[in-house]
Amino acid sequence: MKKLNLNDGQKIPNVGFGTYKATDQEGIEAVSTAISSGYSLIDTAAIYGNEEAVGKGIKASGVAREDFCVTTKLWRESLGYESTKKEFEKSLKRLDLDYIDLYLIHWPANAKNYTNWQKTNADTWRAMEELQAEGKIKSIGVSNFFQEHLEALFQTANIIPAINQIEFHPGYWQQELTEYCKKQNIVVESWSPLARGKVFENEVLKAIAKKHDKSVSQVCLRWIIQHDVIAIPKSTSPRRIQENIDLFDFELTSVEMEKINKLPQMGFSGELPNIWPDRV
Ligand code: NAP
């Protein structure tokens, strides 16, 4: 597995394990299986309701703390300076860890929901900068930030986000935003890298998979990491958990990359940072 350099000097694996909807015993087992299959980056969030299960799964795997990265996220209804500090401590406790590797603002305050969304995001970010300075977080970042949200944040931020985690999969990969993030030295991380299964019947992807003797899932994930973007597929099946990290014995050609880049829109979640909680 390759590691990507973050703008704060930290390194992060380019494939991680998503845990959305993996709760309770299923979540504990999935995380423990993922770690023993070779994943060293685990993605959770306060809103998933599984931080405790993720923490238990990590413990059950017996892996040393310095050998894995944990991401969690501040929910969008908890934005603000005081609230960020409080919610962070709650996440840390639920995960039963001493520090978080990567803490993200899950969704930005936006013009639809906040009278002064710029200030809400700025205050939230200031709290995160302080938590990082105290050594409680290694890297701080954002999720679902459009360019407008990032530009507003830059007005007051002392630290540039290390990561922007966004919806990114064949059929919806936010190319302009991705290029903008890369120019700002922000690593892009893909959520729903498999479009929650909505890409599996695509004929172009199936043909490329057949040629490489790989699955459509592996082709999607390979395409993501060849864009220098982090992929965090979720699965609760041990076979698929293993399959989703078995990506390093083949390479997509530039022609195949381009074919996938150009696929028409498919699998889009309908969720947008500037209109949440509405969808398109
Ligand atoms: P995903 O990873 O694109 O797809 C997961 C679905 O695909 C599950 O139903 C899984 O079923 C199935 N699957 C996984 N591997 C497979 C394979 N090899 N073959 C066939 N089916 C397979 O969707 P996601 O969970 O939405 O996204 C991944 C992670 O991104 C989340 O878990 C979460 O950590 C993060 N995320 C973040 C945000 C955000 O706003 N920041 C939003 C959404 C997601 P099984 O479990 O049965 O295998």
Side-chain angles (χ1 to χ4, degrees), residues 18-20 43 48 73 106-107 143-144 165 190-197 200 217 232-237 240 243-244:
T19 65
Y20 179 53
D43 185 90
Y48 302 167
K73 313 182 195 89
H106 207 145
W107 292 82
S143 176
N144 299 303
Q165 186 183 111
S190 136
W191 63 254
S192 290
L194 309 172
R196 296 182 180 153
F200 292 145
S217 172
I232 47 166
K234 173 260 168 189
S235 177
T236 45
S237 138
R240 292 194 285 272
E243 177 186 325
N244 292 344

